[in-house]
Amino acid sequence: MLIDNKLALLSATAQVMGTTPEAIIGKRKTFAEALARQIVMTLWAEGHSLQASCEIVGRTHHTAAFYARRKIHERLQYCEATRERMKMILKKYSEIILEPFEKNQ
């Protein structure tokens, strides 16, 4: 799935992770916010540059996205909760993207 809507990705991630888009973009480093930030960068980096992945969450250097992708891919191997969160985020993202089309029917 190509993820190309920044606001929808931030919104879906915030809803699943129990935080706000502003908190994901912010500077706080609580576990939930940091994990949400890493997930956003990882998902965005699948179809965009590492630099663009950093900019979506207010970071400036592409190494932040590199580190985030590495951490999330490691977590996906051993953490069932992270795998479930990723599935839920992708499902929620799809729902947000398709919502305008479903309203017209």
Side-chain angles (χ1 to χ4, degrees):
M1 168 191 310
L2 175 63
I3 296 179
D4 61 353
N5 186 317
K6 294 176 187 181
L7 297 177
L9 177 58
L10 286 169
S11 178
T13 305
Q15 289 178 34
V16 170
M17 299 298 290
T19 187
T20 64
E22 295 79 18
I24 294 173
I25 295 170
K27 295 187 184 275
R28 289 182 53 186
K29 295 182 182 179
T30 66
F31 177 75
E33 292 163 345
L35 183 60
R37 201 172 292 130
Q38 290 173 345
I39 289 172
V40 167
M41 284 191 278
T42 299
L43 290 173
W44 193 257
E46 295 301 318
H48 303 86
S49 70
L50 291 177
Q51 187 62 41
S53 300
C54 289
E55 291 168 358
I56 195 174
V57 293
R59 300 306 182 265
T60 57
H61 203 271
H62 71 278
T63 55
F66 178 79
Y67 173 77
R69 287 185 69 202
R70 188 175 70 195
K71 292 296 283 184
I72 293 301
H73 286 284
E74 286 174 8
R75 285 184 68 85
L76 288 171
Q77 292 179 5
Y78 68 83
C79 183
E80 180 65 29
T82 301
R83 287 191 293 272
E84 286 302 314
R85 285 181 183 124
M86 290 288 276
K87 288 178 191 175
M88 291 170 46
I89 289 167
L90 291 171
K91 183 177 184 231
K92 180 59 81 173
Y93 176 82
S94 296
E95 291 170 2
I96 291 170
I97 293 297
L98 295 175
E99 190 175 286
F101 298 108
E102 292 173 352
K103 287 183 180 177
N104 291 334
Q105 294 182 2

